[in-house]
């Protein structure tokens, strides 16, 4: 009686399976020789750092979106004093002290409901974010324009603050 792992297969099929298994083993050995354990550890560490950065960016993006939604809503709907409270709590004194003709956080003198409806926040890097909204035109020949502000976030997880604001032209 013949004992074989594949009793129903003929010799050519066994040879084919063996060659395929051998190729797979050679590929694995090559892969392991190219990617040393140290290199694999560095790669996984980079992935962890990028995941943490991504989590931080998501938290900061949510913070900015929430802040701008509340801030713009207070201006649009006339909630008395809320804009001042939000600025004092979440905007650095350096940014608050800037003397400009418009609201430094919006780069505008006014805020309307359409701005709030089109509000968008996108991470640029760990600290800088692009806050944008649309200014509609009430004139048929004048197109609406996208308004963009670059905002830098500082502080820790529980106490984010807007530490710099620049207008994107």
């Amino acid at each position: 009686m013949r004992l074989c792992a594949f009793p129903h297969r003929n010799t050519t099929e066994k040879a084919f399976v063996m060659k395929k298994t051998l190729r797979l083993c050679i590929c694995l050995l090559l892969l392991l020789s190219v990617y040393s354990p140290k290199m694999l550890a560095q790669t996984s560490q980079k992935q962890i750092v990028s995941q943490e950065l991504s989590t931080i960016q998501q938290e900061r993006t949510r913070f900015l979106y929430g802040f701008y939604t509340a801030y713009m809503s207070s201006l649009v709907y006339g909630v008395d004093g809320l804009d001042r409270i939000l600025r004092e709590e979440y905007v650095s004194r350096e940014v608050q002290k800037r003397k400009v003709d418009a609201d430094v956080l919006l780069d505008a003198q006014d805020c309307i409901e359409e701005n709030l409806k089109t509000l968008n926040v996108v991470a640029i890097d760990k600290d800088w974010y692009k806050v944008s909204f649309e200014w509609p035109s009430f004139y048929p020949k004048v197109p609406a324009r996208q308004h963009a502000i670059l905002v830098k976030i500082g502080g820790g997880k529980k106490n984010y603050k807007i530490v710099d604001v620049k207008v994107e032209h």
Side-chain angles (χ1 to χ4, degrees):
M1 179 189 252
R2 269 176 66 194
L3 292 175
C4 180
F6 306 103
H8 62 280
R9 293 189 179 173
N10 62 25
T11 313
T12 57
E13 284 183 87
K14 290 180 196 175
F16 176 75
V17 170
M18 290 298 286
K19 284 180 184 177
K20 197 172 183 180
T21 306
L22 184 61
R23 286 183 191 148
L24 181 62
C25 289
I26 291 171
C27 288
L28 285 172
L29 286 172
L30 184 63
L31 182 67
L32 289 173
S33 68
V34 171
Y35 289 104
S36 66
K38 184 178 179 183
M39 188 177 225
L40 288 173
Q42 289 173 344
T43 304
S44 65
Q45 189 175 8
K46 286 179 185 176
Q47 289 173 344
I48 291 170
V49 169
S50 69
Q51 288 172 350
E52 287 175 3
L53 183 61
S54 176
T55 302
I56 291 169
Q57 286 177 332
Q58 289 173 3
E59 289 172 358
R60 290 178 171 192
T61 301
R62 283 192 297 267
F63 160 75
L64 270 178
Y65 189 83
F67 170 81
Y68 268 91
T69 300
Y71 187 74
M72 292 169 83
S73 294
S74 72
L75 297 172
V76 169
Y77 302 115
V79 180
D80 214 19
L82 181 59
D83 58 327
R84 183 182 46 78
I85 293 168
L86 290 169
R87 277 195 313 264
E88 288 173 0
E89 184 69 26
Y90 298 109
V91 181
S92 72
R93 291 178 193 216
E94 293 79 21
V95 173
Q96 288 184 45
K97 290 179 183 177
R98 290 189 189 161
K99 300 291 181 197
V100 291
D101 293 337
D103 185 328
V104 71
L105 296 172
L106 300 173
D107 189 45
Q109 294 178 346
D110 197 2
C111 187
I112 57 176
E113 194 168 359
E114 284 77 10
N115 303 143
L116 189 57
K117 289 178 182 177
T118 57
L119 178 65
N120 189 27
V121 179
V122 177
I124 296 172
D125 63 27
K126 183 182 170 220
D127 295 325
W128 285 95
Y129 297 80
K130 180 179 177 180
V131 176
S132 61
F133 50 90
E134 191 172 287
W135 269 103
S137 172
F138 299 105
Y139 303 101
K141 293 186 179 184
V142 178
R145 70 178 179 97
Q146 191 69 20
H147 200 71
I149 303 151
L150 301 178
V151 180
K152 184 177 183 181
I153 298 293
K157 188 175 184 176
K158 298 285 183 187
N159 58 350
Y160 290 133
K161 281 204 182 254
I162 296 172
V163 295
D164 198 2
V165 177
K166 296 179 182 178
V167 178
E168 185 178 74
H169 295 285

